Amino acid sequence: MKKERVAVIGSGNWGSAITRIMANNVIEHGNLFERDINMWVFEELVNNRKLTELINEKHENVKYLPGYKLPNNVRAVPDLIETVQEATILVFVVPHQFVLKVCEKLKGKISSDVKAISLIKGFHVSESGLKPITHVISEYLNINVASLSGANIANEIADEKFSETTIGYTNVKEGELFKILFQTKYFRVGIIDDVVGVELCGALKNVVAIGAGIVDGLKMGDNTKAAVIRIGLLEMRKFMQTFYSGIKDETFFQSCGIADVITSCYGGRNRKVAEAFVLTKKPFEQLEKEMLNGQKLQGTLTAKEVYQVTKRKDLEKEFPLFTTIYRIAYDGLAPERIVKDIV
Ligand code: NAD
Ligand code: 13P
């Protein structure tokens, strides 16, 4: 049987943490996978050195996941096309705003029997509305695309603290293969027949996490945050079931659903920056630069994208939490309205 060769497209905080896991797993399951993994790095200078050179020399992503070694079978590659050459499995893990450019570059260069999985939490805005990222990749590259999403704060997983995740598959054999690629003793993988449900939970929970950060900035307490989590989860389900078909209720009880909402509302970057937004009154864009050292927020952009769709369909009032979060982030609405406008 021909072995699978994995290439990773992305190398941020999560991209690097998950690549460490895959790099160990491909060795452990050497009967199924080739040993070497190429990881595409969006090239930049760090202390006047190319990041790819630093990663390959130190076996560590010194900018996006400092302090954690990458196994020697990972090679950082600045050229996207070179990264995917010979790969039979593509793992997409770039911030969602960059995925289209990546797909445009890869178009026509990927064989139709290549398998792919997206770990990206976000949507793509198209004329017809918000398109799941798995559909964008699938349409551009003409390949089947699964999704992986869960309560997965990257640094905690790099620390090998127990976590769960969810893989959404269309083809159960592929789902099981991906499970072997990602699962470890401390990183437990559930699989479910709901690609879009899994990925859209990951996209929308980032908006709820902005709401949780606003509540934290206002020091409103745990009951208020729990209310935002509960209402947020209901709006996530309503949004997904209004605009997409085949979303399973069961998906919301997997790691990608309720668990990711909770961890993101307590520990994530969106929460942290939204709290600072309330405390400092600085714009999100400025805080992202000041606080995240090149890492990217997904929740503010997704809040705007969700609002554009609900407004276009005259449905803003059906999603009072999402709408209020958008207005606080972009329209100068007072943060205190986070609770006043949703009851
Ligand atoms: P990140 O936010 O840590 O890093 C940003 C990345 O974007 C860097 O690799 C940077 O090189 C790259 N980049 C900057 N400009 C670019 C451009 N023009 N084109 C392409 N790439 C560019 O990245 P991350 O945490 O790996 O996030 C990737 C996805 O994974 C996101 O959708 C995120 O929501 C999701 N995710 C993150 C975590 C986490 O804890 N970090 C956990 C689960 C899922
Ligand atoms: P943040 O991007 O808010 O850090 O969330 C990370 C995440 O997706 C945890 O599952």
Side-chain angles (χ1 to χ4, degrees):
M1 196 184 70
K2 194 170 173 285
K3 291 186 192 182
E4 305 284 353
R5 183 181 287 276
V6 178
V8 187
I9 298 170
S11 51
N13 188 231
W14 182 221
S16 303
I18 200 68
T19 300
R20 293 176 84 225
I21 287 183
M22 288 187 283
N24 287 323
N25 280 353
V26 292
I27 293 175
E28 193 180 329
H29 302 283
N31 55 325
L32 294 174
F33 301 101
E34 297 286 353
R35 190 179 181 283
D36 294 327
I37 294 186
N38 284 347
M39 177 177 79
W40 178 61
V41 173
F42 181 77
E43 190 68 284
E44 63 183 289
L45 292 180
V46 176
N47 297 330
N48 292 322
R49 297 274 317 274
K50 287 183 176 165
L51 181 56
T52 44
E53 285 174 10
L54 285 168
I55 294 174
N56 289 331
E57 186 182 299
K58 295 182 186 300
H59 299 289
E60 179 183 335
N61 189 337
V62 292
K63 175 150 184 191
Y64 293 102
L65 191 64
Y68 300 93
K69 287 286 173 205
L70 285 160
N72 292 350
N73 54 331
V74 176
R75 185 170 72 101
V77 182
D79 185 90
L80 182 59
I81 306 302
E82 186 188 334
T83 307
V84 301
Q85 254 162 26
E86 294 176 46
T88 59
I89 291 182
L90 301 181
V91 177
F92 286 83
V93 60
V94 289
H96 79 275
Q97 57 269 46
F98 304 130
V99 73
L100 195 67
K101 277 236 165 81
V102 164
C103 288
E104 281 166 354
K105 281 195 185 139
L106 291 177
K107 194 173 167 66
K109 306 216 160 51
I110 303 296
S111 155
S112 61
D113 56 358
V114 162
K115 303 171 188 70
I117 185 162
S118 169
L119 280 55
I120 297 168
K121 294 183 176 177
F123 291 95
H124 168 66
V125 183
S126 75
E127 276 169 16
S128 58
L130 295 181
K131 202 179 262 194
I133 299 290
T134 51
H135 289 185
V136 175
I137 300 170
S138 187
E139 284 167 21
Y140 264 84
L141 307 183
N142 197 23
I143 53 176
N144 208 21
V145 187
S147 57
L148 179 151
S149 189
N152 298 151
I153 290 183
N155 281 64
E156 293 184 15
I157 291 165
D159 272 335
E160 306 193 0
K161 292 176 176 162
F162 180 86
S163 317
E164 296 180 305
T165 201
T166 316
I167 285 176
Y169 65 84
T170 45
N171 168 334
V172 70
K173 268 197 162 170
E174 271 183 30
E176 280 161 2
L177 179 70
F178 285 130
K179 179 169 177 168
I180 296 170
L181 179 61
F182 291 105
Q183 181 156 272
T184 71
K185 284 201 172 72
Y186 61 87
F187 189 59
R188 308 307 294 172
V189 177
I191 67 173
I192 186 166
D193 177 11
D194 186 2
V195 175
V196 172
V198 168
E199 71 167 308
L200 296 193
C201 277
L204 290 170
K205 67 82 193 176
N206 284 331
V207 181
V208 183
I210 298 282
I214 292 169
V215 163
D216 284 347
L218 294 167
K219 306 204 185 322
M220 298 181 96
D222 290 336
N223 293 342
T224 310
K225 189 142 96 177
V228 164
I229 288 173
R230 188 193 73 81
I231 296 165
L233 195 63
L234 287 179
E235 287 195 17
M236 284 167 56
R237 187 176 66 171
K238 188 171 180 180
F239 186 91
M240 286 159 64
Q241 293 182 341
T242 303
F243 294 108
Y244 306 90
S245 57
I247 308 286
K248 296 190 166 165
D249 259 348
E250 199 189 329
T251 303
F252 295 90
F253 297 95
Q254 306 301 315
S255 179
C256 63
I258 177 72
D260 198 10
V261 178
I262 294 172
T263 202
S264 300
C265 287
Y266 283 88
R269 301 169 293 189
N270 285 287
R271 187 219 67 82
K272 186 168 85 172
V273 176
E275 180 181 44
F277 169 81
V278 174
L279 294 174
T280 65
K281 300 188 170 50
K282 292 180 186 174
F284 273 101
E285 251 176 47
Q286 184 181 343
L287 290 167
E288 182 185 59
K289 286 200 182 89
E290 287 176 6
M291 296 175 72
L292 296 185
N293 189 31
Q295 294 185 34
K296 298 289 177 197
L297 281 185
Q298 303 280 266
T300 42
L301 192 52
T302 301
K304 187 194 266 182
E305 292 161 351
V306 163
Y307 178 74
Q308 284 165 351
V309 168
T310 53
K311 187 170 162 52
R312 202 185 308 155
K313 307 260 178 203
D314 213 10
L315 287 173
E316 305 113 285
K317 289 201 176 72
E318 297 290 319
F319 299 96
L321 181 67
F322 288 170
T323 302
T324 305
I325 290 169
Y326 163 79
R327 290 196 167 130
I328 293 170
Y330 290 98
D331 265 2
L333 193 73
E336 290 73 13
R337 297 278 288 275
I338 185 86
V339 287
K340 291 193 182 120
D341 284 10
I342 60 173
V343 287

